[in-house]
Structures are given as structure tokens and as C-alpha cells.
Amino acid sequence: MRSIVVANWKMNPATLKDAKKLFELTKKVAEESPNVSIIVAPPALYFRELRASYKKKRVAFAVQHAHFEATGSHTGEISIAQAADVGATHVIIGHAERRARGESDAEVRLKVATALKEHLVPILCVGESRRSNSGEHFTLVAQQLREGLADVQPAKVSKILIAYEPVWAIGGAKAMSARDMHEMAIFIRKTVVEAKGKEAMNIKILYGGSIDETNARGMLDEGDVVGLLVGRASTDLKKFTALVDALN
Ligand code: PGA
């Protein structure tokens, strides 16, 4: 199976011109890497132009967040339906940086269900802010999963990508160890199977948080994940090329 790389550009780069340059590189890397599926998530303002310029199939497109209602009085928002209309195939839901700005489990739940209805792949992000020896991070992740998937029928669970992103590793200096990821992957699978039944056994899990060209391969080999959600390294031309190379 191809490994998955979600390139979450966040609020980068500063200009459309630079975004086009970065996208040129992203395309090139995708063409040269048959064993990696790249999903690019540019800022909403650049999305349409980049999407419209691309006729091939090697790169898929995600929006970084979107509202569950199709239209309405929500200043500054974009909707999942609008994202689908301009060619998005994926939508990131519940990213830690959105949760920190108030996105609740209840909203995440509505968004996951709406995305599936619009035939977009939800990339459902979960992860704890801190860890202690008491293991409460497992409780929190289980709660985020149960809530986020509450309206998903068991037969649809396999369409979802679960991105486990420990908040303390996002934008940090160091990723979580692949071994700890492996443990968490087992826990995630168990939680989703308990909630949705055996069909969830094959749920696709990604890891995100301080991934770069030095740790990507190890995380895929030993972390029990099928892909990576990459922030900073996805907007650095050199690092991104080396990262995808390492997986390919
Ligand atoms: P990072 O971000 O790779 O810059 O740590 C990851 C993320 O937020 O998804």
C-alpha cells in the first residue's frame, strides 16, 4: 500500500506566488514518488487557483478546516460543501490549532458526518495536550474518537483517516517515538472497534507532530501508521523532497 503524506501548509506561504512555487515542487515530488500519496492542504485563499491549475491525479487536495453547514451567516468561514464544489477530496477536521481556538467535539462530530455526506474524506485529528504517568491521555483520545465518530455508520469508518497528533509534539523540536505511536495505534484501533465493530479493524491511522526527513521513515516502519501529517517540513522545499524520498 502507498504511504500517505498530508502536507498541511497552515497559514503559509505569504504570497500566492510562493504558493505556486511550492505547489510546483509538491507536484514534482508526487510524480517522482509512485509509492507515496500526497494530499496537499493549502490556505483557503490559494486553494481554488492551485486546484484549478492541476489536471492530473497524483496530488489530492484538502481544506484545512470547514464548516458543517453548506451556506449561511458565518463570517470568515468556508463550508465543506463549498470545498467539495471547488475540488477538495479531503478535509482536515479537529486539528489541534482549531480546537485551541474553540472547535468542540460536538462540531467535529457534525463535520465528520457532513464530510462523508459530501463524499470528502475526513482527516479526523485527535491528540492530548500533555502526558502524565496516570495515562489520562488515553481517556482523552478515546473520548475524542467516540465523539468525532458518533454519527458515522460502521460501514463508513474505513473511509476516514485518523490523524493522531499529540499537541505537545506539534510545532515542537521532537516527534513522539515510533514505539509510543505503536502503542497509541493499538489503542486507537481498539477504541474504534469497540465503538463501531470489526469493520474498524482496518482503520487508517496517521501520525503528526514534528515529522521531517530524519524521522518519517522510522515512524512509518515502526509506528503502526500508514501515513504522516506534516506541517513545517511540508513548506520547506528541501525537507519535503527528502521526506517523501525517504518514504518512497
Ligand atoms: P508540524 O505540524 O509538522 O509543524 O509539527 C504538524 C501538524 O500540525 O499537523
Side-chain angles (χ1 to χ4, degrees):
M1 197 172 78
R2 280 188 190 148
S3 38
I4 299 169
V5 172
V6 182
N8 179 13
W9 292 2
K10 306 193 178 182
M11 202 171 71
N12 302 296
T15 64
L16 177 60
K17 192 167 158 225
D18 286 346
K20 285 181 178 166
K21 231 162 64 194
L22 182 57
F23 185 57
E24 281 307 313
L25 186 273
T26 307
K27 279 192 292 196
K28 185 165 167 280
V29 169
E31 298 293 340
E32 290 166 0
S33 314
N35 299 318
V36 185
S37 290
I38 294 179
I39 303 161
V40 66
L45 277 175
Y46 304 151
F47 185 98
R48 209 180 140 269
E49 178 144 356
L50 299 182
R51 180 69 194 91
S53 74
Y54 187 67
K55 306 284 179 238
K56 296 193 186 154
K57 295 239 149 65
R58 288 291 295 121
V59 180
F61 286 78
V63 288
Q64 296 177 10
H65 89 105
H67 199 284
F68 50 88
E69 283 178 22
T71 55
S73 302
H74 301 292
T75 303
E77 290 282 347
I78 59 169
S79 77
I80 292 173
Q82 289 166 339
D85 182 55
V86 295
T89 49
H90 294 67
V91 50
I92 299 175
I93 298 173
H95 189 280
E97 287 155 10
R98 304 295 315 175
R99 290 186 191 260
R101 302 185 74 82
E103 185 158 304
S104 65
D105 278 338
E107 281 174 285
V108 166
R109 167 183 183 166
L110 286 165
K111 290 178 182 195
V112 170
T114 307
L116 288 172
K117 215 156 63 205
E118 293 287 346
H119 305 290
L120 296 194
V121 177
I123 303 172
L124 168 60
C125 302
V126 297
E128 78 284 356
S129 304
R130 63 192 95 71
R131 280 199 171 195
S132 64
N133 292 333
S134 62
E136 63 210 9
H137 51 281
F138 286 115
T139 313
L140 184 110
V141 169
Q143 183 191 324
Q144 289 177 335
L145 286 168
R146 282 196 285 265
E147 267 285 316
L149 299 173
D151 295 333
V152 178
Q153 287 160 6
K156 291 274 173 73
V157 171
S158 63
K159 300 209 180 305
I160 297 173
L161 298 174
I162 304 279
Y164 171 71
E165 301 202 291
V167 180
W168 46 268
I170 295 177
K174 207 163 162 265
M176 189 169 79
S177 75
R179 221 191 142 132
D180 286 346
M181 181 62 239
H182 192 121
E183 182 188 34
M184 183 51 85
I186 292 169
F187 177 77
I188 289 172
R189 224 169 272 122
K190 176 172 156 281
T191 304
V192 182
V193 166
E194 272 166 17
K196 301 290 168 186
K198 274 215 212 74
E199 279 163 285
M201 204 54 213
N202 299 321
I203 186 116
K204 296 189 193 82
I205 303 173
L206 316 179
Y207 168 83
S210 296
I211 283 293
D212 62 19
E213 74 284 9
T214 65
N215 54 22
R217 180 79 252 173
M219 189 58 86
L220 270 197
D221 285 347
E222 288 157 40
D224 197 11
V225 293
V226 299
L228 304 165
L229 205 162
V230 184
R232 285 158 298 166
S234 73
T235 56
D236 178 312
L237 304 182
K238 270 210 191 106
K239 279 180 176 290
F240 192 65
T241 309
L243 188 160
V244 177
D245 247 13
L247 301 186
N248 192 50

